[in-house]
């Protein structure tokens, strides 16, 4: 069974710092990996989607990498801002049961201090 | 530019009551999913559908039923609510499985007392 782990569970950094969030998964047989942002009491907003054949994706200050063979992904946030404070979730789409449904990590709760 | 819309956003039920959560998507997606999110547990798949008229069980289906009578709508029903069903429910959709991107609704916060 695919398991997704996110480290750290919580992170607090001063504004302006660059930071890295980590995601690992146990089975490398994935279709893709998706990073989401969740604000308190809100839904999930898709940030980046990396296909299994890709190594990285970029959107603005965000860069996500994927090393499928080692079962790891990182989300790099450059020049962090207080508005980046949220919970970040990674999820992998796996073949098979659940209509290739997503398997989620438990998230990293990020606080950017002004 | 609605995307995935869930109704209602909040609800309080008494134990034993029933209710239906509605999910609507306007992206012509074939696949739709219902997840629940609980503290310390992450998001878990309840039921899913790969097209109009089809439904199937996910990881935690007990106590829930679903229907997909129209392609754009996916309904989640609780026939006899229990306190263990207190959770935040999310609907998601994607064009298909495999390599496609999933889009989520804003969630329904359900409390069963």
């Amino acid at each position: 069974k695919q398991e997704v782990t996110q480290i750290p569970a919580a992170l607090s950094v001063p504004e302006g710092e660059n930071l890295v969030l980590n995601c690992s998964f146990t089975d490398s047989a994935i279709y893709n990996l998706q990073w989401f942002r969740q604000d308190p009491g809100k839904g999930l907003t898709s940030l980046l989607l990396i296909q299994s054949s890709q190594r990285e994706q970029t959107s603005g200050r965000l860069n996500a990498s994927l090393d499928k063979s080692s079962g790891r992904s990182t989300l790099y946030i450059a020049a962090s801002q207080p508005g980046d404070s949220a919970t970040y979730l990674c999820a992998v789409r796996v073949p098979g049961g659940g209509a290739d449904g997503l398997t989620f990590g438990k998230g990293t709760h990020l606080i950017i201090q002004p | 530019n609605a995307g995935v819309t869930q109704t209602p956003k909040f609800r309080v039920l008494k134990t034993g009551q029933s209710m239906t959560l509605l999910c609507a998507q306007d992206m012509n997606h074939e696949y739709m999913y219902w997840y629940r999110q609980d503290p310390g547990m992450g998001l878990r798949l309840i039921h899913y559908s790969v097209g109009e008229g089809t439904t199937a069980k996910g990881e935690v289906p007990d106590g829930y039923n679903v229907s997909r009578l129209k392609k754009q709508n996916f309904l989640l029903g609780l026939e006899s609510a229990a306190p263990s069903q207190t959770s935040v429910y999310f609907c998601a959709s994607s064009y298909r499985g495999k390599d496609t991107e999933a889009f989520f609704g804003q969630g329904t916060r359900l409390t069963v007392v």
Side-chain angles (χ1 to χ4, degrees), chain A residues 33-100:
Chain A
L33 184 145
Q34 201 165 347
W35 281 94
F36 295 90
R37 168 185 174 138
Q38 185 176 26
D39 294 286
K42 303 293 185 182
L44 280 68
T45 300
S46 180
L47 297 174
L48 289 164
L49 171 71
I50 311 177
Q51 301 296 349
S52 61
S53 59
Q54 297 175 322
R55 297 284 294 183
E56 66 178 322
Q57 282 287 341
T58 297
S59 176
R61 294 181 294 108
L62 305 179
N63 176 275
S65 68
L66 175 64
D67 185 342
K68 198 175 74 161
S69 61
S70 67
R72 294 179 181 179
S73 176
T74 62
L75 179 66
Y76 175 83
I77 302 177
S80 59
Q81 304 170 358
D84 295 329
S85 297
T87 296
Y88 290 79
L89 298 165
C90 76
V92 293
R93 195 187 273 276
V94 298
D100 306 333

Side-chain angles (χ1 to χ4, degrees), chain A residues 1 31-32 34 36 38 40-49 51-52 87 89 93-94 96-107, chain B residues 10 31 33 35 37 40-45 48-50 57-59 88 90 93-94 96-107 109:
Chain A
K1 179 184 175 183
Y31 286 125
N32 59 42
Q34 201 165 347
F36 295 90
Q38 185 176 26
K42 303 293 185 182
L44 280 68
T45 300
S46 180
L47 297 174
L48 289 164
L49 171 71
Q51 301 296 349
S52 61
T87 296
L89 298 165
R93 195 187 273 276
V94 298
D100 306 333
L102 293 165
T103 300
F104 281 85
K106 294 181 180 179
Chain B
F10 304 93
Y31 286 37
Y33 309 83
Y35 290 86
Q37 184 179 38
M41 299 295 291
L43 279 91
R44 293 178 292 170
L45 182 64
Y48 62 95
S49 168
V50 298
K57 296 179 180 180
E59 180 184 357
V88 181
F90 287 101
S93 73
S94 60
R96 58 181 185 190
K98 295 187 177 181
D99 56 353
T100 58
E101 186 175 7
F103 297 88
F104 280 75
Q106 291 299 299
R109 185 173 296 274

